[in-house]
Amino acid sequence: MNSIQILEKLISFNTVSSNSNLDIISYCEKILKDAGAKITLIKNKEETKANLFATIGPVDQPGIILSGHTDVVPVTNQKWNTNPFELTEIDNKLYGRGTADMKSFVACALYAASKASSMNLRTPLHFSFSYDEEIGCVGVRSLIEMLKNSSTNPLFCIVGEPTSMQVMSGHKGKVNASVLIKGKEAHSALTTKGLNSIYLATEFIQGIQNIQTNLINNSTHDNDFEVPYTTLQVGKIEGGVAVNIVPSSSSLLFEIRSLHSDDPNLILNDIKNLSEKIVKSHIDKFPNTKIEINVTSQYPALNTMKNSDVISFLNGLTGNNSVQKVSFGTEGGLFSNELNIETAICGPGSMNQGHKPNEYIEKAQIDLCDQMLENLLDKLEEGL
């Protein structure tokens, strides 16, 4: 099988994060076993999902990790012209959920594993396939903990997120948080007897906007990013029951996308101080006033130096000379921060097509990825 034939099978698995990924992991495991790989599965507590870590080549040498995630974002309420879980070719483009983000890289990695089975690799090749990346890089953490406690000592990590096969050295970190706001219910004809939780929410949101303005004006900028500063955004707000009731509770979701130079925990402290100030201004009259902030997921920024060995290595494999940074997040920050592995991002397809209806990848991108991984295998056979 070639990469596109493998991709066709990978697309057929509906691995939206709310579903199990065990079937796709089982399929990957079979290909890797046939290639002679040593395989470890790390399941979640419910045993409904699993990470896979595999090695081809000597286990006593530092190797290269190819990292990809097996989950995809939902297709709910999206208008597709094709079946999102059936690979469809139109005009040299392959359509399907996950073609860009990021099953094409996983397919190319599995094809490379098949090729490696007939080679004598002096430097090992590792495969890291994780679950629940799309909801905050959740699943890979148990795989990383396993690596912390193993004798495996990887040299580099290549995260195959879609970069149009350009080498990327970094991305921002991210914090997702939910906020529950409590006021006091009252009849709308007697508004002074209640505390409008929606008003509290708007005051809170205005405070977040003020923190954002301060970051724009006073923090470090990184012009390698399209948006060169740390950003805060409120993405969802809910509250109220009826127009004639002063709402007692509201909720919202916000995120922080932080540069490596900005500590997101310090920004969170500013937001918590903001919430305490709002509560304090009302609590004497309304003692049950609350603003509760709960961090639901978090991953660190990736900031690999442009003159690092992994960047030079990847530029050599791809024939590229440029180095950029991506706006979206990846598992790369965790590999770099938690395991101290030099990490870079390079994979087929573009995130311009990711997460959208009629997601696709150009066949030429898969060819370029196959060539990069073939060059990688040649290097590993020679030994690094």
Side-chain angles (χ1 to χ4, degrees):
M1 287 191 298
N2 61 29
S3 293
I4 292 177
Q5 290 169 324
I6 295 171
L7 177 61
E8 181 176 20
K9 185 64 176 178
L10 296 180
I11 295 300
S12 72
F13 296 107
N14 182 346
T15 52
V16 171
S17 299
S18 57
N19 298 336
S20 170
N21 78 329
L22 293 183
D23 287 343
I24 194 172
I25 287 293
S26 178
Y27 176 75
C28 296
E29 183 181 16
K30 183 181 186 308
I31 291 177
L32 289 163
K33 275 186 176 179
D34 290 345
K38 304 171 185 67
I39 299 171
T40 302
L41 298 182
I42 308 101
K43 292 186 177 181
N44 62 354
K45 291 179 181 178
E46 297 78 17
E47 298 195 349
T48 57
K49 298 183 180 184
N51 298 309
L52 180 153
F53 188 81
T55 301
I56 296 176
V59 295
D60 59 345
Q61 299 292 324
I64 308 297
I65 296 178
L66 301 179
S67 175
H69 61 83
T70 59
D71 59 318
V72 295
V73 296
V75 298
T76 307
N77 297 325
Q78 292 186 342
K79 294 183 179 179
W80 283 71
N81 297 330
T82 63
N83 182 342
F85 300 106
E86 181 179 317
L87 192 68
T88 304
E89 180 178 347
I90 303 173
D91 296 333
N92 289 316
K93 296 175 181 176
L94 301 172
Y95 290 83
R97 174 55 88 221
T99 48
D101 184 19
M102 59 175 295
K103 289 181 176 179
S104 290
F105 178 78
V106 174
C108 291
L110 291 169
Y111 183 43
S114 297
K115 290 181 181 179
S117 65
S118 61
M119 302 172 72
N120 182 23
L121 301 187
R122 296 186 179 182
T123 300
L125 182 60
H126 306 293
F127 303 84
S128 168
F129 300 149
S130 64
Y131 65 89
D132 284 357
E133 187 272 350
E134 294 290 4
I135 58 174
C137 299
V138 174
V140 75
R141 295 169 193 268
S142 60
L143 187 153
I144 286 174
E145 286 301 314
M146 183 272 292
L147 289 178
K148 283 181 181 179
N149 298 311
S150 76
S151 58
T152 303
N153 183 28
L155 186 63
F156 301 140
C157 178
I158 301 170
V159 179
E161 291 277 7
T163 66
S164 298
M165 293 307 297
Q166 301 300 304
V167 178
M168 303 289 172
S169 64
H171 62 72
K172 295 179 181 179
K174 187 179 180 183
V175 175
N176 286 332
S178 63
V179 183
L180 178 63
I181 299 170
K182 290 289 188 180
K184 185 178 179 181
E185 194 172 77
H187 194 291
S188 64
L190 302 168
T191 56
T192 56
K193 293 185 180 297
L195 178 61
N196 192 313
S197 64
I198 294 178
Y199 289 176
L200 296 179
T202 57
E203 189 176 352
F204 181 83
I205 292 170
Q206 183 59 60
I208 283 184
Q209 289 179 287
N210 293 340
I211 293 171
Q212 173 71 92
T213 300
N214 182 60
L215 287 167
I216 293 172
N217 294 332
N218 300 311
S219 71
T220 301
H221 285 205
D222 184 344
N223 291 317
D224 286 337
F225 288 104
E226 184 174 350
V227 180
Y229 46 79
T230 292
T231 59
L232 285 75
Q233 196 234 174
V234 175
K236 185 177 181 181
I237 182 169
E238 295 179 323
V241 176
V243 72
N244 59 350
I245 302 173
V246 175
S248 64
S249 66
S250 298
S251 62
L252 58 88
L253 303 176
F254 75 87
E255 68 169 22
I256 305 169
R257 292 184 181 263
S258 57
L259 297 179
H260 182 264
S261 56
D262 289 333
D263 185 345
N265 292 314
L266 294 179
I267 298 171
L268 275 173
N269 284 338
D270 289 341
I271 295 172
K272 289 174 181 177
N273 290 337
L274 162 69
S275 67
E276 290 170 2
K277 182 178 179 181
I278 294 171
V279 169
K280 187 176 180 180
S281 66
H282 297 284
I283 202 163
D284 287 344
K285 186 174 180 181
F286 301 100
N288 293 323
T289 305
K290 288 183 181 178
I291 299 180
E292 299 176 352
I293 300 171
N294 178 43
V295 174
T296 54
S297 65
Q298 185 171 2
Y299 59 77
L302 174 66
N303 189 48
T304 301
M305 296 296 100
K306 292 183 178 181
N307 61 353
S308 66
D309 290 340
V310 68
I311 298 298
S312 299
F313 184 72
L314 261 177
N315 279 337
L317 296 180
T318 61
N320 297 327
N321 293 319
S322 64
V323 183
Q324 304 169 47
K325 293 181 180 178
V326 293
S327 299
F328 55 85
T330 80
E331 298 172 336
L334 289 165
F335 280 100
S336 175
N337 286 35
E338 297 294 323
L339 296 173
N340 198 30
I341 301 171
E342 284 195 13
T343 301
I345 310 160
C346 184
S350 170
M351 197 58 86
N352 289 332
Q353 279 77 53
H355 295 205
K356 294 180 179 178
N358 302 315
E359 179 182 351
Y360 70 86
I361 188 170
E362 296 177 355
K363 290 176 69 176
Q365 285 286 304
I366 293 178
D367 292 340
L368 287 172
C369 189
D370 281 340
Q371 184 60 59
M372 179 190 78
L373 295 179
E374 187 172 318
N375 294 341
L376 173 62
L377 292 177
D378 290 341
K379 292 284 187 183
L380 300 184
E381 189 172 39
E382 295 171 3
L384 299 180

